[in-house]
Amino acid sequence: MAKLNFGGTEENVVTREEFPLSKAQDVLKDEVVAVIGYGVQGPGQALNQKDNGINVIVGQRKGTKTWDKAVSDGFVPGETLFEIEEALERGTVICYLLSDAAQIALWPTVKKHLTPGKALYFSHGFGITFNEQTGIVPPADVDVFLVAPKGSGTSLRRMFLQGRGLNSSYAIFQDATGKAFDRVIALGIAVGSGYLFETNFKKEVYSDLTGERGTLMGCIQGIFAAQYDVLRANGHSPSEAFNETVEELTQSLMPLVAENGMDWMYANCSTTAQRGALDWWKKFRDATKPVFEELYKSVATGVESQKSIDSNSKADYREKLDAELKELRESELWQAGKTVRSLRPENQAVEA
């Protein structure tokens, strides 16, 4: 394990140089990795492991859209695709990749198949950290760990196919066999991680829930909407407001930040843009920091997890979710965005 300096703090990380795919394949050569859940993370993780030569099977309910998707992705019924209980029985590593609410519902079935020496793998610390709410308490004689890619399963798969890797955190909650470290790192490499950084279940879920509600999704949507609304209220067209609010950020500036950092992005902008950004960023920090503090407290006290469980466990959850997403989808902001994206050169029909 390497120790690297992150802005003055040393952290333990595992790279693909020190733990190559060949080593991961050797660690997992006698394992049957059963991916339970084929929704958000399942396809990317299962396919990447499959392409990396790992003995991976998928557990899904027959007759569902996700079963059909697994078949279309190359998993073969009766060979690498099974009903959930059969996959649980066959698997020596159970990759528990269902939604948090679905994990709660299926837990009694999963638990009875966790025989001594097996491993229970998560990509989120939710079920274990909030076990008083979820009831997910693993038996003491199995390994329990997580690999949490820092992005969606779609991004994980896309970057894998590009020969890249998505950074992931890893954590060990329970080492019953003495092999938990090698198992979790091998799986982290096999699913397509760029490098793996150390955390624990509680920190993973606290940071994850804060990030999703904050800069990754909730906050970014909020500030997009605020700036767009101000520009529209002052007479700017939808095209101009969207381009200045979203398109320039996502298509031009954020790739520069990803490439070499915020300072490099600033250095590649006009001096007028630099001056304005430097004058205003602390005002935005000071305005939003109390909101982030409120958010983190809500996560750490279990308020957010209970909201999620209560909401996502309702029979009409998906219908209500679709209604809320429809509000976003049909807003002028994102309708304008749909038109703007269609006008990108790469999305224009090639002339004969």
Side-chain angles (χ1 to χ4, degrees), residues 284-299:
F284 282 107
R285 178 200 62 192
D286 294 345
T288 59
K289 190 174 179 182
V291 180
F292 279 99
E293 289 170 340
E294 178 186 354
L295 167 57
Y296 192 87
K297 182 179 179 181
S298 187
V299 169

Side-chain angles (χ1 to χ4, degrees), residues 36 75 82 123 131 152 189 199 245 297:
I36 308 300
F75 291 96
F82 302 93
S123 282
N131 59 38
S152 70
I189 298 299
T199 188
T245 300
K297 182 179 179 181

